[in-house]
C-alpha cells in the first residue's frame, strides 16, 4: 500500500456515493449521519485527481414497501421480498429536499449518475446494482469501463452501508478502489470500523484524506 502510486489522471474516476441531504443533519427526520454534511470539501478535493466524476443517489418512492412504521420500526427485519431486508425510516424521496445533493456539490459536475431504489419493492445499498443479489446493473460499472477507468476513488454516505457495498462491488468488478476516509461518515463507530476492516481485507486501499491521495501521485 505504501508503495502504491496513482495511475495517470485519465484512468481515475471519483465516485460520490449517496452524498445527499437525506443522510445529513439537514434532514433530521430522515437518516441523518453525524457530520454527513461535512464531507463536501474532501469529495471536491479528490475529484481534482480524476478525469471524470460520477455519483449515485437513493431515489425512493413514497410508497416503498420498506418504510418503517410503529408496527415495524427502523432496522427490523423485513421478509417476503427478495430485494428488501430491513425496514428503514422514509428517506430520499424523489422531489423532496432529502433527495438533493449536499450543498456545495454541483450536479452538473457528474458525468454519470446512478439512481437506485426507485422501485417500491427494492432497497439496494450498493450503487452498481438495482438488487441485493448484484444481478441488475445500474450501468455504473459499464460506464467506467467504457471510459478506460482502472482506479476509482470513493467517498460518501454512509461508510457502513452504501459506501461499503458500492466499494466491494467495484472491487469485485476488477477496479483498483481507494476509499478516502475523510470523504465518508458512518452511522455507528462499531459498524463503521467493521466496514473499514472488511474493505481493507478485500484489497481496498484506505487513505485518511485527499492530502494523502495527492502524495500518491
Amino acid at each position: 500500500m505504501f508503495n502504491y502510486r496513482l495511475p495517470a489522471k485519465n484512468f481515475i474516476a471519483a465516485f460520490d456515493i449517496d452524498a445527499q441531504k437525506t443522510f445529513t443533519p439537514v434532514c433530521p427526520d430522515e437518516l441523518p449521519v453525524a457530520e454527513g454534511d461535512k464531507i463536501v470539501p474532501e469529495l471536491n478535493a479528490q475529484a481534482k485527481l480524476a478525469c471524470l466524476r460520477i455519483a449515485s443517489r437513493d431515489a425512493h418512492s413514497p410508497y416503498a414497501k420498506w418504510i418503517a412504521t410503529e408496527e415495524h420500526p427502523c432496522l427490523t427485519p423485513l421478509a417476503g421480498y427478495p430485494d428488501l431486508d430491513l425496514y428503514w425510516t422514509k428517506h430520499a424521496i424523489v422531489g423532496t429536499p432529502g433527495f438533493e445533493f449536499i450543498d456545495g456539490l454541483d450536479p452538473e459536475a457528474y458525468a454519470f449518475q446512478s439512481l437506485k431504489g426507485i422501485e417500491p419493492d427494492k432497497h439496494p445499498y450498493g450503487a452498481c446494482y438495482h438488487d441485493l443479489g448484484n444481478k441488475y446493473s445500474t450501468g455504473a460499472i459499464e460506464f467506467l469501463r467504457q471510459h478506460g477507468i482502472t482506479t476509482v476513488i470513493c467517498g460518501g454516505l454512509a461508510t457502513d452501508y452504501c459506501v461499503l457495498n458500492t466499494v466491494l462491488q467495484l472491487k469485485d468488478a476488477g477496479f483498483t478502489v481507494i476509499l478516502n476516509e475523510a470523504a465518508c461518515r458512518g452511522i455507528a463507530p462499531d459498524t463503521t470500523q467493521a466496514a473499514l476492516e472488511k474493505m481493507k481485507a478485500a484489497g481496498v486501499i484506505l487513505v485518511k484524506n485527499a492530502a494523502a491521495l495527492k502524495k500518491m501521485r
Side-chain angles (χ1 to χ4, degrees):
M1 172 180 172
F2 297 102
N3 294 322
Y4 179 80
R5 289 290 179 267
L6 289 172
K9 186 174 181 178
N10 58 308
F11 295 108
I12 303 172
F15 201 152
D16 296 357
I17 302 164
D18 296 4
Q20 297 168 263
K21 293 179 181 178
T22 192
F23 301 117
T24 76
V26 174
C27 293
D29 296 327
E30 297 189 30
L31 290 174
V33 177
E35 297 189 343
D37 54 340
K38 305 298 185 183
I39 65 173
V40 170
E42 283 288 327
L43 291 176
N44 288 334
Q46 69 186 33
K48 293 179 180 179
L49 302 174
C51 70
L52 59 84
R53 188 176 189 177
I54 69 173
S56 65
R57 282 200 276 180
D58 272 2
H60 295 316
S61 164
Y63 308 107
K65 307 294 185 183
W66 49 260
I67 294 175
T69 63
E70 288 187 9
E71 183 181 1
H72 300 290
C74 183
L75 294 178
T76 56
L78 192 165
Y81 298 91
D83 291 310
L84 298 176
D85 60 349
L86 299 171
Y87 285 96
W88 288 94
T89 302
K90 185 186 291 186
H91 63 279
I93 304 301
V94 176
T96 68
F99 174 69
E100 298 172 0
F101 287 110
I102 304 169
D103 290 342
L105 297 176
D106 178 10
E108 299 298 323
Y110 299 109
F112 179 91
Q113 292 185 36
S114 66
L115 303 182
K116 57 194 179 71
I118 297 171
E119 300 89 344
D121 61 346
K122 288 181 171 56
H123 189 274
Y125 301 108
C128 299
Y129 297 94
H130 288 292
D131 62 309
L132 295 180
N134 294 352
K135 294 180 180 179
Y136 304 106
S137 176
T138 62
I141 290 171
E142 291 80 2
F143 181 84
L144 294 169
R145 287 174 174 164
Q146 180 184 14
H147 286 79
I149 298 299
T150 62
T151 300
V152 186
I153 304 171
C154 296
L157 302 168
T159 310
D160 34 356
Y161 281 92
C162 296
V163 172
L164 168 64
N165 281 273
T166 301
V167 162
L168 294 180
Q169 289 172 348
L170 292 168
K171 194 73 180 68
D172 286 344
F175 297 101
T176 297
V177 184
I178 302 172
L179 181 78
N180 177 4
E181 294 183 45
C184 306
R185 294 293 188 277
I187 293 176
D190 56 343
T191 53
T192 297
Q193 184 59 39
L196 293 174
E197 291 173 0
K198 188 171 184 179
M199 287 185 271
K200 186 175 182 180
V204 175
I205 299 169
L206 306 183
V207 297
K208 292 300 182 183
N209 50 42
L213 275 169
K214 291 178 183 178
K215 294 178 181 179
M216 297 164 67
R217 289 186 295 187

